[in-house]
Structures are given as C-alpha cells and as structure tokens.
C-alpha cells in the first residue's frame, strides 16, 4: 500500500508501510505527521491511518481519521490538496516541527529471512545447551524433554524475554545485527512487553513447535509481513525489530554453520534415547515406527537383536545293514 505524507509543506512519497515505520523509528517523521493512503478522506496524522493505527497510536487514538476541511481533493492523482496552515509556525516542517537529535542513527527493517535465521540460531543454541545438561545428569527419556514437545521450548520464551528486556537482542539477533526496540522512543522493551512478544511468537510464529503447525504458522507470519508490513506480535506489543547496520555475508554464513553444527550435536544428544523413543512410537503409531526403521536400519545400544537363524542339521543316515548270508 502506498502512503504519502507532508513534510516541509511539500507532499512526499509514496512509501510502503515498513518504510514509514522505519522513518518514524528514525525520527524523520512523527506519528502526528499528516499522511494519506487510498481509502482515506483527507490528510490525517499517520497514527490514525487505518494501515498504521495498529502500531503508531495509543489505545485512545484508535478511531477512524476525520474528514478534513479540504475534503477528498481534486488532484489528478486522487490525493487531497496539501493543507495550508494559517501561520508559518504551524506549517509542517517549519519551526513547529522538532529537529532530529544529533546522535540519531539511521536504521533499517530486517528482511524476514534474516529474522528467521536469527531465531533458528537462538533455538539451536538453546536446544544444544539444554540437551547437553540433560545428558550430563543422565536424565532418562521422557517425551516432554524432546524438541518435538511444546514444553521443551517454554523456558526459551522466558530466556528470550529476559535477554530482549536487558539489551533488546539475543545471540542470534546480535549475530545478524538486529535489535528489538519500542516503537516511538527507541528504548528496549521491559520484561512484561518482551514476554508478551515472545509468547505471541511462540504461539503464532513457531506454532508451538508442533508439526504441522510449526510449518504453517511461519508462512502465515510471512504473509502478514508482506501485507501489513509488521507481524502480529510486534503490532500487539508495540515493538519493532530494526537493523542498525546490515550483517555482512560472512555473518550469514556463520549463522548457517551454527545451525547445521547444532543439529548434529542435537542428534548426538538424543541418540541414547532412540531405543525408548522407538518403543514408545511402536506402541502409539506402529506405521510411523516401521517407516523410521527404514531410515534407521540398525538401532543403537539397548536394543535386542533377533538371534541369527541356526542352520538345521541334515538328518543322519542310518548305516545300511549287510545282507545276511544264506
């Protein structure tokens, strides 16, 4: 969706929803900057536009933009005319508009694949550490302690919330140059807001880590980013992930290498549990167990192998009796 805005008494744009969010985050625009997109009756503050009101406004501002005195406008492109302020001080971009701070830094919205790669790194490191501790203390097999169970990932939600509330980032996000900040003031979210965001990611982004939801929900989140420019969890928690500087290509390769290495270590950690896992699966889903046995032809220690078939001895031949003399 194309969004236009007024700055320095001039019409600017068009720009997409993510671009406008980034401009507000950088301080180039404010939520009260007059804006317009198709379907609006006139110029209105950006925070009241239907495409932006989910994350640029406060709860009391959740209302439709009012029709301006200029009406729909008569420009050839369908945009309303630029409103003229009575006083020069009231004109957009003049003395009434606050200047950018000197230490302001330009940030960018990270691409979805960078955000996904950062999350995979975080989840992989978490799984390796937790499974390593379980194997260190020789904890017996339990389905709750496997990565395919939702309870396995619940501590990850609290750990991620704490890290984001402290510095706005996690190991994976730091590697990819991503930080999660509050929209508007650019500060790190507190633990309550960070926990709300992590919980919504776990539910609607990771699909509780339960197949097939874990495959469907990321696609739904990607569609939301493409359509609205922001994910559900960022809109609800009023946060925004930003890139202060794009991660170089070697960091992306390092992130991919970490994910593959972690997958190998996770496989080694759960290897002693394979016999118990196969036994449980045989009781609950024999067809799935038979399919997995084709991929794992030789089970690990602790399994009982069928004794080798002994060759049956040939029947003993009775000695022929010598013929009796007449």
């Amino acid at each position: 969706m194309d969004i236009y805005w007024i700055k320095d008494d001039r019409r600017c744009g068009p720009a997409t929803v993510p671009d406008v969010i980034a401009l507000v985050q950088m301080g180039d625009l404010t939520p009260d900057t007059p804006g317009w997109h198709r379907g609006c009756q006139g110029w209105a503050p950006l925070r009241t536009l239907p495409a932006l009101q989910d994350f640029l406004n406060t709860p009391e501002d959740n209302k439709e933009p009012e029709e301006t005195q200029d009406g729909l406008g008569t420009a050839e492109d369908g945009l309303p005319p630029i409103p003229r302020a009575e006083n020069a001080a009231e004109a957009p971009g003049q003395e009434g508009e606050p200047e950018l701070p000197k230490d302001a830094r330009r940030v960018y919205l990270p691409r979805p694949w960078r955000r996904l790669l950062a999350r995979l790194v975080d989840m992989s490191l978490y799984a390796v550490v937790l499974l390593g501790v379980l194997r260190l203390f020789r904890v017996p097999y339990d389905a709750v302690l496997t990565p395919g169970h939702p309870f396995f990932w619940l501590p990850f939600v609290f750990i991620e919330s704490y890290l984001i509330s402290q510095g706005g980032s996690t190991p994976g996000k730091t590697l990819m140059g991503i930080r999660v900040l509050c929209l508007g003031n650019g500060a790190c979210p507190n633990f309550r807001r960070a926990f709300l965001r992590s919980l919504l990611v776990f539910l609607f982004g990771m699909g509780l880590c339960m197949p097939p939801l874990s495959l469907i929900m990321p696609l739904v989140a990607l569609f939301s980013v493409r359509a609205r420019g922001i994910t559900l969890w960022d809109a609800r928690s009023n946060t925004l992930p930003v890139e202060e500087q794009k991660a170089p290509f070697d960091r992306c390769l390092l992130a991919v290498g970490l994910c593959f290495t972690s997958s190998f270590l996770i496989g080694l950690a759960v290897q002693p549990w394979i016999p118990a896992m196969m036994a449980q699966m045989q009781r609950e889903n024999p067809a799935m167990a038979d399919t997995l046995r084709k991929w794992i032809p030789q089970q690990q220690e602790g399994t009982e192998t069928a004794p080798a078939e002994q060759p049956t001895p040939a029947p003993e031949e009775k000695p022929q009796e010598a013929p009796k003399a007449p």
Side-chain angles (χ1 to χ4, degrees), residues 4-88:
Y4 299 83
W5 64 93
I6 298 175
K7 186 175 183 180
D8 297 332
D9 204 19
R10 294 181 303 173
R11 189 183 72 193
C12 303
T16 61
V17 172
D19 293 333
V20 175
I21 298 174
L23 290 173
V24 174
Q25 187 70 28
M26 291 184 295
D28 291 346
L29 300 177
T30 67
D32 293 323
T33 300
W36 179 92
H37 63 73
R38 188 174 299 276
C40 299
Q41 294 181 335
W43 297 102
L46 291 175
R47 58 185 171 81
T48 63
L49 299 183
L52 299 172
Q53 65 180 359
D54 285 343
F55 45 91
L56 284 185
N57 62 347
T58 56
E60 58 270 14
D61 293 327
N62 233 351
K63 57 183 180 180
E64 294 292 333
E66 298 179 357
E67 183 177 357
T68 61
Q69 184 177 2
D70 296 318
L72 295 177
T74 58
E76 295 180 358
D77 53 5
L79 291 171
I82 299 176
R84 302 291 180 179
E86 296 180 0
N87 300 326

Side-chain angles (χ1 to χ4, degrees), residues 7 18 21 58 61 63 84 103 105 118 126 148 156 160 172 182 184 203 220 228 240 287 298 311 325:
K7 186 175 183 180
I21 298 174
T58 56
D61 293 327
K63 57 183 180 180
R84 302 291 180 179
D103 58 347
R105 292 180 294 176
Y126 164 79
F156 174 79
E160 183 187 42
C182 292
L203 295 176
V220 176
R228 302 178 57 201
L240 190 70
Q298 294 181 355

Side-chain angles (χ1 to χ4, degrees), residues 120-139:
L120 290 178
V121 170
D122 291 333
M123 295 174 64
S124 300
L125 295 178
Y126 164 79
V128 167
V129 173
L130 181 56
L131 290 174
V133 172
L134 295 177
R135 295 310 308 155
L136 180 63
F137 290 96
R138 298 183 180 276
V139 178

Side-chain angles (χ1 to χ4, degrees), residues 77-322:
D77 53 5
L79 291 171
I82 299 176
R84 302 291 180 179
E86 296 180 0
N87 300 326
E90 299 177 358
Q94 301 297 327
E95 299 177 0
E97 184 179 357
E99 297 181 357
L100 290 176
K102 296 181 180 180
D103 58 347
R105 292 180 294 176
R106 183 173 296 274
V107 295
Y108 307 89
L109 292 180
R111 294 184 178 274
W113 68 269
R114 289 179 178 268
R115 297 173 60 176
L116 177 61
L117 188 57
R119 178 159 296 275
L120 290 178
V121 170
D122 291 333
M123 295 174 64
S124 300
L125 295 178
Y126 164 79
V128 167
V129 173
L130 181 56
L131 290 174
V133 172
L134 295 177
R135 295 310 308 155
L136 180 63
F137 290 96
R138 298 183 180 276
V139 178
Y141 167 77
D142 193 328
V144 178
L145 302 178
T146 58
H149 200 282
F151 288 164
F152 178 87
W153 299 101
L154 282 182
F156 174 79
V157 176
F158 290 91
I159 295 174
E160 183 187 42
S161 304
Y162 174 77
L163 293 176
I164 291 179
S165 64
Q166 294 301 310
S169 187
T170 59
K173 290 180 174 60
T174 301
L175 181 62
M176 301 303 295
I178 299 175
R179 293 186 65 195
V180 178
L181 304 175
C182 292
L183 192 61
N185 56 14
C188 295
N190 55 25
F191 181 81
R192 180 179 179 182
R193 181 176 296 187
F195 178 76
L196 173 62
R197 182 183 186 275
S198 298
L199 184 61
L200 292 176
V201 174
F202 181 64
L203 295 176
F204 300 103
M206 300 163 55
L208 298 173
C209 291
M210 296 177 57
L213 286 178
S214 58
L215 301 177
I216 297 176
M217 297 308 296
L219 297 178
V220 176
L222 177 61
F223 176 79
S224 174
V225 171
R226 296 294 186 186
R228 302 178 57 201
I230 193 171
T231 57
L232 172 64
W233 45 88
D234 285 319
R236 295 303 178 187
S237 58
N238 200 26
T239 57
L240 190 70
V242 298
E243 276 185 346
E244 295 182 353
Q245 108 178 38
K246 293 186 178 180
F249 184 69
D250 55 351
R251 286 197 178 189
C252 299
L253 290 180
L254 178 59
V256 174
L258 284 176
C259 293
F260 277 102
T261 304
S262 300
S263 301
F264 176 74
L265 296 177
I266 291 172
L268 291 179
V270 302
Q271 193 173 18
W273 289 346
I274 290 180
M277 293 171 61
M278 296 295 296
Q280 181 182 3
M281 189 172 299
Q282 182 65 37
R283 294 190 301 267
E284 298 178 356
N285 193 342
M288 180 67 70
D290 294 339
T291 303
L292 288 180
R293 284 195 181 94
K294 296 179 181 179
W295 293 89
I296 312 176
Q298 294 181 355
Q299 297 182 9
Q300 306 300 323
E301 57 181 357
T303 57
E304 298 181 357
T305 57
E309 296 183 0
Q310 300 282 343
T312 55
E316 297 181 358
E317 297 182 357
K318 295 182 180 180
Q320 296 181 358
E321 298 180 357

